[in-house]
Amino acid sequence: MTLILALDFGGTKLAAAVVNLGSRDWLHHERRFSPMNADAHSDLEIMRSLIHSLLQDTKPVAIGVSFGGPVDAKTGTVRLSHHVSGWEEIPLKDLLEKEYDVPTSVDNDANVAALGEYRFGAGNGYDSLFYITVSTGVGGGWILNGQPWRGAVGMAGEIGHMVVDPAGPVCLCGKRGCVERLASGPYMAQDVREKMENGLSGKIIREIVRDNLALVTGKVVSEAAALGDELAQEILYRSAWGLGVGIGNVANLVNPQLFVLGGSVTKAGTRWWDVVRKIARETALPEVDFAIVPAALGDDAPLWGAVALAEIHRTSA
Ligand code: ADP
Ligand code: ZN
């Protein structure tokens, strides 16, 4: 057997899996939540114990790693994590190669998920696609000519902070009206809360959270919208509108065949999808052709992407 070990360091959970080269089914698969006060050290400890229980006394030929934060993919060094402390400049590739004596590749989760969808999911059969995750944040990863495209310093694909409404609300990055500021789950929730505190009704939202506005989430907004709440519908529309404008502009600029959308906000329903598609279509030039489809791999996209990353490394080595 030729084993590949795939690792996923997420913001809130850690996962590891082993697959036989060429197979589409996991041999073993383990997932664990990282504790509330997790740091790089504790995440690595948990990952070591997952790896130990997966591998037993077998040895993989390659390791692929998805990391939830900016990574220098050339050196496999983590720049930092926005969710877990202590990851600043950790040489994750070197560390794992020393420990397990196996060639290792590391990249950030959006690039890795793009690769996973391209090789094993919704992007199979295409050679240019842009993967977008719409979740707590909004991020993206490129596949161009069948290869990941990371940009000069690994920052390509940051559609989350593309400005689509320069007069819009202020984003955590300091600019106004970024795609993430309009489309992400937490920002949708924040906007609903603020509008309700300023007197807008949101009657159905209020019922769902039993008057406790702290409990409003992106999920609550989409539930209330489906039940006919006008405020929720307005905010959800703006989420889809912002993403649609971003996608249309990206289509004009780079002309990929496909946009693959993952992350939980994409579960917001057909109305959200219709608006994303319509606005993207209206924003792009008529000659610029593309499709927008849901991701196929779900929570396992980073792990399958890590397998693909390890495979690329093996064939190019
Ligand atoms: P992560 O950011 O950890 O990858 P998710 O992809 O699950 O996690 O995204 C979480 C965000 O998605 C939360 O803000 C949540 O409220 C929102 N969300 C979850 N389900 C839905 C839904 N059906 N409609 C809209 N937003 C949703
Ligand atoms: Zn921003």
Side-chain angles (χ1 to χ4, degrees):
M1 283 216 284
T2 313
L3 302 181
I4 305 245
L5 174 63
L7 307 179
D8 172 17
F9 291 85
T12 54
K13 46 194 186 287
L14 300 158
V18 186
V19 69
N20 196 11
L21 188 63
S23 162
R24 302 283 282 263
D25 297 305
W26 300 121
L27 277 175
H28 306 284
H29 183 293
E30 296 224 20
R31 190 181 295 276
R32 206 167 298 165
F33 284 101
S34 49
M36 284 299 283
N37 54 354
D39 59 15
H41 182 78
S42 65
D43 272 2
L44 280 166
E45 272 308 303
I46 293 174
M47 198 55 102
R48 280 191 190 96
S49 86
L50 291 182
I51 295 171
H52 184 74
S53 88
L54 286 178
L55 289 179
Q56 313 263 342
D57 46 10
T58 60
K59 190 176 169 178
V61 294
I63 302 178
V65 183
S66 165
F67 186 85
V71 169
D72 180 341
K74 277 202 199 93
T75 62
T77 302
V78 171
R79 294 220 172 87
L80 74 151
S81 161
H82 294 291
H83 308 283
V84 183
S85 65
W87 275 107
E88 292 75 12
E89 301 306 323
I90 299 278
L92 187 54
K93 170 187 157 79
D94 290 352
L95 214 134
L96 292 166
E97 286 188 338
K98 270 204 196 89
E99 206 161 319
Y100 297 98
D101 190 29
V102 172
T104 301
S105 332
V106 185
D107 203 346
N108 90 68
D109 51 0
N111 289 343
V112 173
L115 195 56
E117 289 290 338
Y118 164 66
R119 283 279 285 118
F120 305 113
N124 199 242
Y126 293 81
D127 58 25
S128 62
L129 67 84
F130 190 44
Y131 171 85
I132 306 173
T133 171
V134 193
S135 49
T136 308
V138 175
W142 281 107
I143 299 292
L144 294 176
N145 289 331
Q147 298 288 329
W149 170 260
R150 301 180 176 97
V153 293
M155 292 299 289
E158 282 290 352
I159 190 174
H161 300 284
M162 170 185 269
V163 174
V164 290
D165 179 9
V170 177
C171 177
L172 62 88
C173 74
K175 291 170 298 167
R176 286 179 180 276
C178 301
V179 171
E180 176 167 314
R181 179 61 189 79
L182 303 180
S184 79
Y187 272 131
M188 278 197 284
Q190 177 183 322
D191 288 348
V192 158
R193 254 181 251 126
E194 282 174 11
K195 290 200 184 252
M196 287 173 72
E197 278 156 10
N198 288 328
L200 277 176
S201 158
K203 186 165 169 290
I204 298 174
I205 301 172
R206 207 176 277 282
E207 280 165 22
I208 293 177
V209 297
R210 294 169 201 259
D211 242 7
N212 182 356
L213 294 191
L215 297 182
V216 177
T217 60
K219 188 157 185 263
V220 169
V221 175
S222 77
E223 281 165 9
L227 292 169
D229 188 279
E230 280 178 23
L231 174 60
Q233 284 172 348
E234 177 196 321
I235 296 292
L236 201 62
Y237 179 89
R238 218 175 46 142
S239 160
W241 177 88
L243 185 62
V245 173
I247 289 175
N249 279 310
V250 169
N252 274 347
L253 198 61
V254 186
N255 190 20
Q257 297 159 307
L258 191 67
F259 291 86
V260 180
L261 271 45
S264 291
V265 175
T266 65
K267 296 174 193 161
T270 53
R271 169 102 181 109
W272 185 90
W273 278 92
D274 289 347
V275 174
V276 172
R277 289 192 170 111
K278 175 167 172 284
I279 299 296
R281 194 54 273 160
E282 287 173 8
T283 304
L285 289 170
E287 296 81 6
V288 179
D289 199 21
F290 55 89
I292 305 176
V293 300
L297 299 174
D299 287 349
D300 275 355
L303 283 177
W304 281 114
V307 171
L309 196 64
E311 282 179 356
I312 289 183
H313 186 91
R314 257 175 69 77
T315 50
S316 65

